[in-house]
Amino acid sequence: MNEQKSFMLEAVKLAGMALDNNHGGPFGAVIVKNGKIIAQGYNQVIKTNDPTAHAEILAIREASKILNTYDLGECEIYTSCEPCPMCLAACHWANIRKIYYSNTRKDAENIGFKDNLMYEELKITTNNRLTRIEIPEALEIFKKWKQKPNKIIY
Amino acid sequence: MNEQKSFMLEAVKLAGMALDNNHGGPFGAVIVKNGKIIAQGYNQVIKTNDPTAHAEILAIREASKILNTYDLGECEIYTSCEPCPMCLAACHWANIRKIYYSNTRKDAENIGFKDNLMYEELKITTNNRLTRIEIPEALEIFKKWKQKPNKIIY
């Protein structure tokens, strides 16, 4: 088995743990840096009652803690299933440039998860869920940020 | 000032705290249930080195902890800026049906944030960032989930 498949198998083993322990949906992920797994996660939505406790999010948070930076630009993620939009965007914010997955969003849909639907909804810019309430104070804060010296852009 | 604007102002005040304390980008959010703020958050990416520590994610995690459920279906979120895809999808997973924002993703782009670019990239289903490495063990776990009795669908 090549190295990439072995990392993927580790992610899948974690997915199995989530399933067997009833901690959450059957999803697992590992983060790799310089050819070594440095962090891992599996879905814990049910166990922790945290709707954001997806495998990738937990793995990213662990890797960031270990490396002491929000910038995981030198890392890759292996996830047992194509990331949902939350996790894909989290990879973006963490600057993870290579994302490897095995099962697809369609496979996830087939077992009852709404990843695919969510991707479709994210293409729509206006709907009855999202409502703008514009207050001038909000843009004032953005202006202050723009003028702020030595700010850290992440 | 009506109630909705006052909730939005609280979100903006939190954005100002992130800015003033150098804890992260100028973003804040509050979660409201039955007309009362039950949880809040502001961006802490810089302070905590956690790339997922956006205002909405932190507010959702706090609300879930307080209510002891991943299902925030009876809650609304007020956020100082249109949520990035990570946070919008997190609202979906948490079943938050009403999302109110003031600044737009374009406003965020104008002060250096990549929310808008990220939305564009999420529309693309294949690119050189995302690579499928299919292993049969991954789909086996999904089959086990499908067959599992009494599973919790979140």
Side-chain angles (χ1 to χ4, degrees), chain A residues 1 4-5 8-9 12-13 15-16 18-22 24-27 43 45-46 48-52 54 57 60-61 64-65 68-72 78 80-105 107-115 118-119 121-125 128-146 148 151-154, chain B residues 1 4-5 8-9 12-13 15-16 18-22 24-27 43 45-46 48-52 54 57 60-61 64-65 68-72 78 80-105 107-108 110-115 118-119 121-125 128-146 148 151-154:
Chain A
M1 186 182 286
Q4 289 193 315
K5 283 198 176 176
M8 188 60 79
L9 194 58
V12 171
K13 277 184 195 163
L19 180 84
D20 294 338
N21 299 338
N22 295 313
F27 306 97
N43 189 293
V45 169
I46 305 300
T48 64
N49 274 323
D50 176 359
T52 73
H54 285 203
I57 297 282
I60 287 169
R61 295 181 66 209
S64 301
K65 202 171 181 180
N68 206 31
T69 172
Y70 54 83
D71 185 357
L72 306 181
Y78 290 76
S80 63
C81 184
E82 190 178 357
C84 81
M86 175 176 76
C87 294
L88 185 59
C91 291
H92 268 283
W93 285 115
N95 299 322
I96 297 177
R97 292 292 166 213
K98 292 300 272 181
I99 301 158
Y100 300 99
Y101 66 94
S102 185
N103 296 334
T104 67
R105 60 177 86 167
D107 294 327
E109 192 174 45
N110 288 341
I111 62 160
F113 289 93
K114 53 191 171 187
D115 303 48
M118 215 175 272
Y119 269 105
E121 280 196 303
L122 278 173
K123 291 177 189 166
I124 303 163
T125 50
N128 60 5
R129 218 169 4 96
L130 264 173
T131 308
R132 190 168 186 204
I133 298 175
E134 194 180 357
I135 62 171
E137 293 86 347
L139 213 52
E140 282 305 312
I141 298 286
F142 272 19
K143 283 180 193 157
K144 276 190 191 165
W145 172 267
K146 202 163 189 177
K148 190 181 171 76
K151 60 182 168 285
I152 299 168
I153 299 284
Y154 54 85
Chain B
M1 185 182 286
Q4 289 194 315
K5 283 198 177 176
M8 188 60 78
L9 194 59
V12 171
K13 277 183 195 165
L19 181 86
D20 294 339
N21 299 337
N22 295 313
F27 306 98
N43 190 293
V45 170
I46 305 300
T48 64
N49 275 324
D50 175 358
T52 74
H54 285 204
I57 297 282
I60 287 170
R61 295 181 65 210
S64 300
K65 202 170 182 181
N68 206 32
T69 173
Y70 55 82
D71 185 357
L72 306 181
Y78 290 76
S80 63
C81 184
E82 189 178 357
C84 81
M86 174 176 77
C87 294
L88 185 58
C91 291
H92 268 283
W93 286 114
N95 299 321
I96 297 176
R97 291 292 168 212
K98 291 301 273 180
I99 302 158
Y100 301 99
Y101 65 95
S102 185
N103 296 334
T104 67
R105 60 178 85 168
D107 293 328
N110 288 341
I111 63 161
F113 289 92
K114 53 192 171 186
D115 303 48
M118 215 176 271
Y119 269 104
E121 280 195 305
L122 279 173
K123 291 178 190 166
I124 303 163
T125 49
N128 61 4
R129 218 170 2 99
L130 264 173
T131 307
R132 189 168 186 203
I133 298 175
E134 194 180 356
I135 63 171
E137 292 86 346
L139 213 52
E140 281 305 312
I141 298 286
F142 272 19
K143 282 179 194 157
K144 276 191 193 166
W145 172 267
K146 203 163 187 175
K148 190 181 172 76
K151 60 182 170 283
I152 299 168
I153 299 284
Y154 54 85

Side-chain angles (χ1 to χ4, degrees), chain B residues 22-37:
Chain B
N22 295 313
H23 286 180
F27 306 98
V30 297
I31 290 180
V32 171
K33 187 183 173 185
N34 298 331
K36 279 188 186 155
I37 293 173

